[in-house]
Amino acid sequence: IIPGPDTDLVSYLGFWNGEGKEVAFITKRKLRQFPSLYGNGSIQRTEILPEVAEMSRRLLRALDYRGFAGVEFKVDRHNDSLRLIEINPRSSAMNELAVVAGVDFPWIAYRSLLGMGMDGEQPGFRPDITCVNEEWDVQAFLELNRRGEMTFREWIKSLRGAHRIIAARDDPKPLLFGLFRG
């Protein structure tokens, strides 16, 4: 267990083609997760994190990796080093964050599977893009509020400008189902 807040969790999401070359990536930071300390990121933001990207690339090259990869680290505040938390060999629940930030992983993977590759240079991502998984974030807020760590006003303020990945005005059922399933 590495002490520190959930905001010390940083990640690399990438797609590596059949030749073992990185085709696209983003780096991001968890702002909140549920359950706290060990859960899924409920609100996350893209950030330019060169050390996270480079450490992930070195690790994935050493593994002769292909496909989707999610590499998560936590900042160890004792010495400001990155500690490996996990490697996920799949796409992320926060794919929408990458898409909104300019890296459409599903499209990139589809093109790769068809042998089409990418036209031109690797797509870059936009930093400071925030996405929220509303179902998980309501649960995160309730947990933090019960512990006296976040007020309703603070929670609402933290959501300003975040792209929603579930809620839609023309189709509220997925969000409502998610909020009320046990």
Side-chain angles (χ1 to χ4, degrees):
I1 297 174
I2 302 158
D6 291 342
T7 55
D8 285 348
L9 290 160
V10 291
S11 302
Y12 162 98
L13 298 179
F15 182 78
W16 292 59
N17 68 15
E19 291 79 48
K21 305 281 188 225
E22 178 188 79
V23 176
F25 80 98
I26 71 165
T27 51
K28 63 184 179 69
R29 178 179 304 276
K30 285 184 179 177
L31 303 178
R32 237 181 340 268
Q33 64 181 348
F34 179 78
S36 63
L37 301 178
Y38 307 104
N40 291 309
S42 61
I43 186 165
Q44 300 182 52
R45 180 182 61 232
T46 57
E47 288 186 23
I48 305 292
L49 301 166
E51 187 179 7
V52 170
E54 192 48 43
M55 285 184 72
S56 299
R57 289 178 184 124
R58 284 198 319 257
L59 180 60
L60 295 170
R61 276 189 210 105
L63 295 171
D64 197 25
Y65 198 84
R66 282 137 172 80
F68 287 109
V71 184
E72 185 173 44
F73 300 91
K74 188 162 186 182
V75 177
D76 185 338
R77 291 186 176 199
H78 291 106
N79 57 13
D80 288 328
S81 64
L82 294 174
R83 302 293 180 181
L84 180 65
I85 299 296
E86 66 180 349
I87 302 172
N88 285 307
R90 56 175 165 71
S91 65
S92 165
M94 268 294 180
N95 253 343
E96 187 67 17
L97 175 63
V99 171
V100 173
V103 179
D104 191 341
F105 283 123
W107 178 244
I108 291 166
Y110 174 77
R111 289 183 59 86
S112 181
L113 287 170
L114 293 178
M116 297 169 71
M118 292 301 296
D119 299 327
E121 293 183 23
Q122 186 180 80
F125 70 93
R126 290 187 308 279
D128 300 319
I129 301 296
T130 303
C131 278
V132 60
N133 177 313
E134 304 92 303
E135 176 186 349
W136 296 342
D137 207 53
V138 166
Q139 295 172 21
F141 162 70
L142 293 172
E143 179 182 299
L144 292 167
N145 184 262
R146 261 191 305 275
R147 294 194 318 235
E149 296 177 22
M150 180 174 272
T151 66
F152 182 73
R153 176 176 274 158
E154 291 168 331
W155 178 59
I156 292 300
K157 184 178 178 183
S158 75
L159 299 174
R160 287 192 189 126
H163 297 268
R164 299 180 309 266
I165 66 171
I166 300 174
R169 289 183 184 172
D170 61 344
D171 187 9
K173 289 179 187 173
L175 178 61
L176 293 173
F177 176 79
L179 292 176
F180 293 106
R181 78 173 133 187

